Amino acid sequence: MRMLKKSMIACVSSALLLTTACGSGGAGPAENSGAPQAAAKPFEGKKITVFVQNHPWTDTIKAALPEFEESTGMKVDIQGFSDTQLQQKLAVQLTSKSESPDVFMFRPYMDKIQYSKNGWVTPLDEYVKKDPGYDFGDFVKSAVDENIVDNKLLGIPIFADQFVMYYRKDILEKHGIAIPKTLDELKEAAKKVHDPANEMYGFVSRGERNSLVVGVSSYLFAEGGDFIKGNLMTGATAAVNTPEAISGFQIYADLLKNYAPQGVLNMAWPQAAGIFAQGKAAFYTETAAVYQNVTDPKKSLISDKVGFAMFPAGKNGVKPFNVAAWSLGINSNTQNKDASWAFIEWATNKENVLEIQRNGVPGTRNSVWDMKEGTETYPQDLAEAIKETMKVGIGHNVPQVISVGEARDAVGTIVVKAVLGEDIKAAADKANADLQAIIDKDKAK
Amino acid sequence: MVSAWLDRNMKWIFTLPAVLFIVVMVAFPIVYTVRISLFEWSMSTNTPPKWVGLSNYTHLLTDERFWGSVGRTFYHASVSIFFETVLGVLIAVLISRKFRGQKIAKTFLMLPMVATPVSIALVWLLIYEPSIGLANQILKSLNFKPLAWLGSVDLVLPSLILLDIWQWTPMIVLIVVAGLTTLPTEPYEAASVDGASPMQKFFHITLPLLIPTILTAVILRLVDLLKTFDTIYATTQGGPNYASETLNLMVFTEAFHYFKFGSASALMMLFFLIIMIVIVTLIALKKRLGGLH
């Protein structure tokens, strides 16, 4: 009986989902054919609410907003939150089927499976084709792929994260060390410059259990490992205790244990970036997106001494991650789908992506990266490293499950235990069992 | 007619607001939490809550992470309460004597208690910062090895306990000072006549007379201690690894990071039960000891 009821609910809800998807797809183009050019102020009197993260991206969009409101006639209410607040706020709004916010920022690499399963976002496949001038084909393919679940496009990537290596030019020069190209060279170099008595540490990176999972992923891939083998929907197995994965975890843990400052196990990226910016570490592996924390003279003592390079190669080659960090999506319950799309279309057009990118947020449009204006505000070596990483990068940096938070805690423990000197194989076996349990539960959802 | 009805039902009418308040604010949330704790629910709208009976509870009771949190909760609370009580009583007795600047001293003592816990946590985060923090600077100037404080699995709880002692000893002081002012003077006069030393007066008169006050302070403080969340979350979020994860932090993680609301509710109920047992025991103890004097 209960089974029957459950399957009925599933039928009804998937039917609902389908109708919203078809409805928006069908009605959209007809209603809006050539609207922006033809009718002046096509959305006169409409008001949409947008939930975003407080971020340089948001600042640039806010500054450009009055012009957009003037030309479309709609009012856009942008509400900024810190990322944890945003996540919690969204969870509440979306589970209660609220019509607001109309548009929101979300993290496809964390949320896409859950959002798709719960039917929280409007598929955008039809919308992106409406205006050829939008040139959706211009978006970086791996970033777009990150937003696709079951062949449906859930969001438009607005900025990307590439994992790169930060290093101190002056220190390398002083010791006559070349920029490390492999993880072994990185280890050697860190060892050579490590001088804790004079507060110079060889290496720093994230050590906090949950946060470090993003940091260690590129090491894992470089050694030929991954968090999970297979796809969650079709049958996945946890793979964090394979020899390749353990090798990746081990390299990262060794670097933290031997060459990082005390207290590294409490460090998420802001703390690690802080250590590097204070000039206390020679190497730092991190996403490119936070580079201004170490190159801005207001935040950094070593702003003019920072170099950037591709993440070093492991046994499996150069495999840093390149993910669509945040995307814009449309609430499936909103009444203003067309106005919402008009906002996203505007916010992610070439001009705005260029403007945002010039302000330090790496965008996801190839054409912008190819322009001189798109990269001239970046340190040249960083721009090169980002471009190269976008070509070869791996499209995820956390276990691809629904319960990402729980999975990250399970996996992060491996590195923490290894840094604390416990047996890494035992830790990995335990984490693998935990991760498998999470996968099995998620599959049943 | 009406007034007769009012007279007869006076007791119901006057208690009604209080009863309503308790039902809405206390009873309903508890009953609702018990209900959720019997389901598996991730706040999804497509997947309704799934009835799982007591499995959330049995799962927790076999989970080493849960028992670790229970242990840490008690370790943090009991060590803190011990030092806070001993220090609190001593400071209260000292500060009750007349001396110059007594008022200023009292005011300064209260400062940690009235500051916002999260800002205090951030201040201590800086103090404990391994490379530039005040704590390690002091150690270095005394030629000791710097410590990792919040970054070390073994030191993180003692560091948090130190923070708690600094912050909350004043509360015990405050209550005990109030208790001291109500003590009768006759026993002291009698003791002076009998030639008792100040130490004897303290241990044989002051302390026994203060026991009910101290126990009240301990109960109030202990309830808060078991529930500590703000300072721990703002400094370590339960880390490194799980070394400072107390029950309250685990509940938060289960609910708002993992979206396991059923399991979080079950955890909350177990936590509630634990606090009830501790407090009921203490109140019984207070009744017995209080009755002696």
Side-chain angles (χ1 to χ4, degrees), chain A residues 325-404:
Chain A
W326 289 83
S327 293
L328 286 178
I330 300 180
N331 184 348
S332 48
N333 288 307
T334 171
Q335 300 290 326
N336 305 315
K337 288 201 174 155
D338 286 325
S340 300
W341 171 250
F343 171 76
I344 295 184
E345 192 174 35
W346 167 77
T348 57
N349 66 19
K350 284 180 190 166
E351 296 76 45
N352 276 322
V353 171
L354 173 64
E355 183 62 25
I356 291 164
Q357 182 155 319
R358 284 177 64 83
N359 287 343
V361 183
T364 52
R365 275 184 178 270
N366 285 318
S367 64
V368 173
W369 281 105
D370 290 338
M371 267 187 254
K372 186 172 153 286
E373 293 87 351
T375 53
E376 67 188 359
T377 54
Y378 285 65
Q380 222 39 57
D381 49 356
L382 177 62
E384 285 305 316
I386 292 179
K387 268 204 246 177
E388 224 19 69
T389 306
M390 279 175 20
K391 281 186 204 143
V392 301
I394 306 277
H396 63 277
N397 57 8
V398 292
Q400 291 179 297
V401 292
I402 301 175
S403 311
V404 179

Side-chain angles (χ1 to χ4, degrees), chain B residues 27-191:
Chain B
F28 173 74
I30 292 179
V31 172
Y32 190 68
T33 309
V34 172
R35 202 184 101 90
I36 297 182
S37 76
L38 303 174
F39 288 87
E40 193 180 293
W41 184 47
S42 66
M43 274 179 87
S44 160
T45 37
N46 284 8
T47 326
K50 183 174 134 206
W51 170 264
V52 293
L54 290 175
S55 93
N56 280 331
Y57 290 91
T58 50
H59 188 258
L60 277 174
L61 291 174
T62 54
D63 183 4
E64 51 185 286
R65 189 169 161 194
F66 167 74
W67 289 109
S69 300
V70 173
R72 283 186 288 270
T73 306
F74 276 98
Y75 172 61
H76 177 261
S78 55
V79 178
S80 302
I81 196 74
F82 174 77
F83 284 105
E84 283 169 25
T85 313
V86 172
L87 283 172
V89 172
L90 285 179
I91 295 174
V93 170
L94 285 176
I95 210 167
S96 300
R97 294 160 169 252
K98 292 224 162 12
F99 62 93
R100 275 181 65 154
Q102 184 193 31
K103 279 204 174 133
I104 295 176
K106 270 189 190 171
T107 314
F108 272 105
L109 259 177
M110 297 308 142
L111 282 181
M113 206 174 87
V114 293
T116 321
V118 172
S119 53
I120 284 183
L122 293 179
V123 169
W124 279 81
L125 204 55
L126 279 180
I127 294 178
Y128 283 145
E129 209 287 326
S131 51
I132 54 163
L134 183 68
N136 273 352
Q137 298 295 342
I138 293 175
L139 284 185
K140 267 186 229 165
S141 70
L142 297 173
N143 276 330
F144 285 110
K145 261 184 76 174
L147 299 171
W149 301 105
L150 299 173
S152 136
V153 173
D154 306 313
L155 273 180
V156 62
L157 273 180
S159 303
L160 288 169
I161 288 170
L162 190 64
L163 193 169
D164 201 87
I165 294 172
W166 174 84
Q167 189 188 1
W168 288 109
T169 302
M171 178 178 149
I172 309 267
V173 175
L174 198 68
I175 298 174
V176 175
V177 164
L180 279 170
T181 55
T182 63
L183 294 188
T185 50
E186 294 88 346
Y188 291 95
E189 287 160 12

Side-chain angles (χ1 to χ4, degrees), chain A residues 2 6 9-10 13 17 84 87-88 91-92 94-97 114 116-120 199 201 208-210 261-267 271 275 278 280 403-407 409-410 412-413 416-417 420 422 430 441 444-445, chain B residues 40-48 50-51 56 59 63-65 125 129-132 136-137 140 145-153 156 233 235-243 245 252-254 256-260 263:
Chain A
R2 194 181 303 140
K6 216 183 142 185
I9 290 171
S13 46
L17 250 180
T84 347
Q87 196 188 345
Q88 286 168 17
V92 173
L94 295 172
T95 44
S96 58
K97 300 217 173 224
Q114 188 184 25
S116 149
K117 282 213 158 196
N118 292 351
W120 285 344
E199 301 225 295
Y201 297 91
E208 194 271 321
R209 180 185 70 231
N210 192 293
Q262 271 192 321
V264 72
L265 291 182
N266 275 348
M267 289 182 193
Q271 291 84 2
I275 295 279
Q278 281 167 36
K280 296 193 177 208
S403 311
V404 179
E406 203 177 348
D409 274 352
T413 312
V416 175
K417 283 189 178 164
L420 292 171
E422 290 180 37
K430 166 88 171 55
K441 259 179 86 181
K445 271 184 189 164
Chain B
E40 193 180 293
W41 184 47
S42 66
M43 274 179 87
S44 160
T45 37
N46 284 8
T47 326
K50 183 174 134 206
W51 170 264
N56 280 331
H59 188 258
D63 183 4
E64 51 185 286
R65 189 169 161 194
L125 204 55
E129 209 287 326
S131 51
I132 54 163
N136 273 352
Q137 298 295 342
K140 267 186 229 165
K145 261 184 76 174
L147 299 171
W149 301 105
L150 299 173
S152 136
V153 173
V156 62
Y233 188 75
T235 47
T236 67
Q237 277 130 49
N241 213 11
Y242 298 101
E245 187 178 71
F252 184 85
T253 313
E254 290 270 319
F256 299 106
H257 287 181
Y258 300 171
F259 290 99
K260 287 160 79 176
S263 169

Side-chain angles (χ1 to χ4, degrees), chain A residues 4-20:
Chain A
L4 186 69
K5 212 171 144 192
K6 216 183 142 185
S7 58
M8 270 177 70
I9 290 171
C11 277
V12 172
S13 46
S14 51
L16 270 174
L17 250 180
L18 275 175
T19 43
T20 37

Side-chain angles (χ1 to χ4, degrees), chain A residues 50-93:
Chain A
V50 181
F51 280 9
V52 292
Q53 188 203 171
N54 292 325
H55 187 278
W57 183 91
T58 309
D59 302 336
T60 312
I61 283 296
K62 266 191 180 162
L65 198 57
E67 206 182 305
F68 174 70
E69 290 182 322
E70 179 56 34
S71 67
T72 57
M74 78 166 96
K75 186 98 193 77
V76 182
D77 178 18
I78 295 193
Q79 298 188 16
F81 304 91
S82 77
D83 66 349
T84 347
Q85 273 180 327
L86 176 65
Q87 196 188 345
Q88 286 168 17
K89 184 93 182 160
L90 277 178
V92 173
Q93 298 289 104

Side-chain angles (χ1 to χ4, degrees), chain B residues 230-283:
Chain B
D230 33 30
T231 42
I232 303 181
Y233 188 75
T235 47
T236 67
Q237 277 130 49
N241 213 11
Y242 298 101
S244 61
E245 187 178 71
T246 58
L247 279 171
N248 236 352
L249 272 114
M250 188 175 166
V251 172
F252 184 85
T253 313
E254 290 270 319
F256 299 106
H257 287 181
Y258 300 171
F259 290 99
K260 287 160 79 176
F261 284 86
S263 169
S265 301
L267 188 53
M268 210 69 232
M269 291 320 297
L270 291 175
F271 190 21
F272 179 64
L273 212 67
I274 291 172
I275 294 195
M276 284 299 280
I277 293 171
V278 172
I279 299 309
V280 167
T281 317
L282 270 177
I283 291 179

